[in-house]
Amino acid sequence: MNIQPLLNYISKIVTLTDEEITFLTSQVTYRKYLKGQYVLQQGDINKSVCFVVSGCTKMFYVDADGQEHIIMFAVEDWWSSDLGSFISQTPSDFNVQCIEDTECIVFSYNNMEETYAHIPKLERLFRKTIEKALVASQKRIVRNFSMSAKERYIIFRDSYPEIEQRIPQYMVASYLGISKEFLSKIKKQIAFQ
Amino acid sequence: MNIQPLLNYISKIVTLTDEEITFLTSQVTYRKYLKGQYVLQQGDINKSVCFVVSGCTKMFYVDADGQEHIIMFAVEDWWSSDLGSFISQTPSDFNVQCIEDTECIVFSYNNMEETYAHIPKLERLFRKTIEKALVASQKRIVRNFSMSAKERYIIFRDSYPEIEQRIPQYMVASYLGISKEFLSKIKKQIAFQ
DNA sequence: AAAAAATGTTAATCTACATTAACATCATTT
DNA sequence: AAATGATGTTAATGTAGATTAACATTTTTT
């Protein structure tokens, strides 16, 4: 169990005492998923939130026509899972699936109250995480309304170059909300200009 | 100052003592805006969050081409303002403007810590409000990706019939992310089928 | 190394929606 | 009541991006 990446992440936001670190370690579990495994399925209530230590996950939605729409990716040092379902304990609209072998540190909903009670700083940390998710989500709505697919692709590529490298292109297309054929066209166009 | 609608709203989620109500009343202010007035401007840090007692506001974004994109409306018993900017105290991407004469109860960011300290239940209430905003925002992304303008219009109309009645149609179009001409066409199509 | 599966490309055709522009209706001001 | 401005409609034309289908390339499995 390699909890160090989580501690590094936390230390950027709040400072924990040795005692708090010990307690935190006792509250979380470590899980390894294989490529292709589901962390969460559409319709289930999300009981846990995962901090990714290694690997990569995608959160996506399958619509009425069976089409897959990727909402977000999570790589090292990111929170995977549907935060909305986790915090409200309502059925999730999304699936979370590993697109690489993935190791993560898991916070269970059942432990959260106890964890917050023992380490109140963590409540603040999670509040901030949710805040960031809200801001990012609203920015995404705005972009989808006011920008072309090409502009959105360039922003994605420049914001997350590491992610673009390691995932198949058709998933980038799904994230951008366009077909893989059209993304192919966009990339060609960018290469020649 | 009519604080009753806020108290009714709060009582649905948490129960306040008389002492807490008195304290809360001392912490908020009451503001009246005229139709057309701005509550928040793009680029400013949102210092306050408003509970709408009467009237209606729109939150919108003006893009690089000068086009307006409406993100949400707020009517009686809703929270107006950009929660993202408020909670993170970062410059807002959005404007909030009254589209009717509007009265609201204002929480100032500077008072929040004190309010939370005195009435911890309210921290939970606000956390839940943010959670709901996140869930709604993610649902919106999904809808915009996987549904046609007609489907989105029907959902909007059925979810918020009161809002549709009281705002001009071109604002509904902006909220849906389509042109007013196309919404006009959709409505005609629905009427004839 | 061959076969199979997954991923990526190209081009033709199609469609949901935007844009433009002209006009119609309704609300507000004088 | 006329005039002005705000809102809504219709129709013609344009375009971003979808869909289909065939093929190319890369990766994985055997």
Side-chain angles (χ1 to χ4, degrees):
Chain A
M1 163 141 161
N2 174 18
I3 203 178
Q4 200 52 51
L6 175 63
L7 298 178
N8 293 344
Y9 171 86
I10 291 176
S11 73
K12 284 183 212 146
I13 304 164
V14 296
T15 304
L16 298 186
T17 65
D18 287 351
E19 191 277 328
E20 286 169 335
I21 290 174
T22 307
F23 181 80
L24 178 64
T25 307
S26 77
Q27 291 301 98
V28 298
T29 55
Y30 200 80
R31 269 212 71 166
K32 296 182 185 201
Y33 291 94
L34 294 175
K35 179 174 172 174
Q37 278 193 300
Y38 279 78
V39 179
L40 174 69
Q41 308 226 164
Q42 216 159 325
D44 290 354
I45 292 175
N46 184 7
K47 290 285 176 202
S48 62
V49 68
C50 304
F51 180 85
V52 178
V53 173
S54 72
C56 182
T57 68
K58 64 176 176 181
M59 179 167 106
F60 64 101
Y61 165 78
V62 179
D63 72 19
D65 304 330
Q67 265 232 291
E68 189 175 311
H69 303 276
I70 297 179
I71 306 299
M72 64 170 288
F73 302 101
V75 293
E76 291 75 21
D77 278 14
W78 286 41
W79 295 97
S80 172
S81 22
D82 177 6
L83 275 180
S85 170
F86 179 76
I87 56 193
S88 59
Q89 288 292 291
T90 52
S92 178
D93 293 324
F94 307 110
N95 302 281
V96 175
Q97 190 184 16
C98 299
I99 57 182
E100 297 175 6
D101 292 354
T102 301
E103 298 189 23
C104 49
I105 296 166
V106 182
F107 288 78
S108 160
Y109 190 78
N110 301 327
N111 293 346
M112 289 314 276
E113 288 307 325
E114 208 182 331
T115 305
Y116 287 156
H118 209 277
I119 319 177
K121 284 170 263 186
L122 286 188
E123 184 151 17
R124 204 172 113 227
L125 184 145
F126 275 96
R127 205 180 65 203
K128 278 182 188 295
T129 304
I130 292 162
E131 288 169 14
K132 271 190 216 152
L134 174 62
V135 172
S137 182
Q138 284 188 338
K139 283 212 161 105
R140 190 102 183 275
I141 292 176
V142 161
R143 278 192 207 127
N144 291 343
F145 271 153
S146 62
M147 295 172 44
S148 70
K150 187 175 171 184
E151 290 172 304
R152 277 181 277 140
Y153 167 63
I154 291 172
I155 287 185
F156 171 75
R157 190 195 61 179
D158 294 350
S159 306
Y160 311 110
E162 351 72 70
I163 295 184
E164 201 203 352
Q165 306 307 321
R166 65 201 269 188
I167 63 180
Q169 194 170 307
Y170 71 88
M171 289 192 192
V172 176
S174 171
Y175 175 84
L176 294 172
I178 60 177
S179 68
K180 66 192 171 67
E181 292 85 355
F182 194 59
L183 178 55
S184 189
K185 211 167 166 181
I186 287 172
K187 289 183 79 168
K188 194 182 169 194
Q189 207 181 310
I190 289 173
F192 276 87
Q193 90 195 346
Chain B
M1 163 142 163
N2 174 19
I3 204 177
Q4 200 51 50
L6 175 63
L7 299 178
N8 291 345
Y9 171 86
I10 291 176
S11 72
K12 284 183 210 147
I13 304 164
V14 295
T15 304
L16 298 187
T17 65
D18 286 351
E19 192 277 329
E20 286 170 335
I21 290 174
T22 306
F23 181 80
L24 178 64
T25 307
S26 77
Q27 290 302 98
V28 299
T29 54
Y30 200 80
R31 268 211 70 166
K32 297 183 184 200
Y33 292 94
L34 293 177
K35 179 176 173 175
Q37 278 193 299
Y38 279 77
V39 178
L40 174 69
Q41 310 229 159
Q42 216 160 326
D44 289 354
I45 292 175
N46 184 7
K47 290 285 175 201
S48 62
V49 67
C50 304
F51 180 85
V52 177
V53 173
S54 72
C56 182
T57 67
K58 64 175 177 183
M59 179 166 104
F60 65 100
Y61 165 79
V62 179
D63 73 18
D65 304 329
Q67 265 232 292
E68 189 175 311
H69 303 276
I70 296 178
I71 305 300
M72 65 170 287
F73 301 101
V75 293
E76 289 76 20
D77 277 14
W78 286 42
W79 295 97
S80 172
S81 27
D82 176 6
L83 274 180
S85 169
F86 180 75
I87 57 195
S88 59
Q89 288 292 292
T90 52
S92 178
D93 292 324
F94 306 110
N95 302 280
V96 175
Q97 190 184 16
C98 299
I99 57 182
E100 296 175 6
D101 291 354
T102 300
E103 298 188 26
C104 50
I105 295 165
V106 182
F107 288 77
S108 160
Y109 190 79
N110 300 328
N111 294 346
M112 290 315 275
E113 287 310 322
E114 206 182 332
T115 304
Y116 287 155
H118 208 276
I119 319 176
K121 283 170 262 186
L122 286 188
E123 183 150 18
R124 205 171 113 228
L125 183 145
F126 275 96
R127 204 180 67 203
K128 278 181 188 295
T129 304
I130 292 162
E131 288 169 16
K132 271 189 216 153
L134 174 61
V135 171
S137 182
Q138 285 188 338
K139 282 211 161 105
R140 190 102 184 275
I141 291 175
V142 161
R143 279 195 207 127
N144 290 343
F145 271 154
S146 62
M147 296 172 45
S148 70
K150 186 175 169 183
E151 292 172 306
R152 278 180 276 139
Y153 167 63
I154 290 171
I155 287 185
F156 170 75
R157 190 195 59 178
D158 293 351
S159 306
Y160 311 109
E162 351 71 72
I163 295 184
E164 202 203 352
Q165 306 307 323
R166 66 201 269 190
I167 63 181
Q169 194 170 306
Y170 70 89
M171 289 192 191
V172 176
S174 170
Y175 175 84
L176 294 172
I178 60 176
S179 67
K180 66 192 172 68
E181 291 85 356
F182 194 58
L183 178 55
S184 189
K185 214 166 164 179
I186 287 172
K187 289 183 80 168
K188 193 181 168 193
Q189 207 181 311
I190 289 173
F192 276 87
Q193 91 196 345

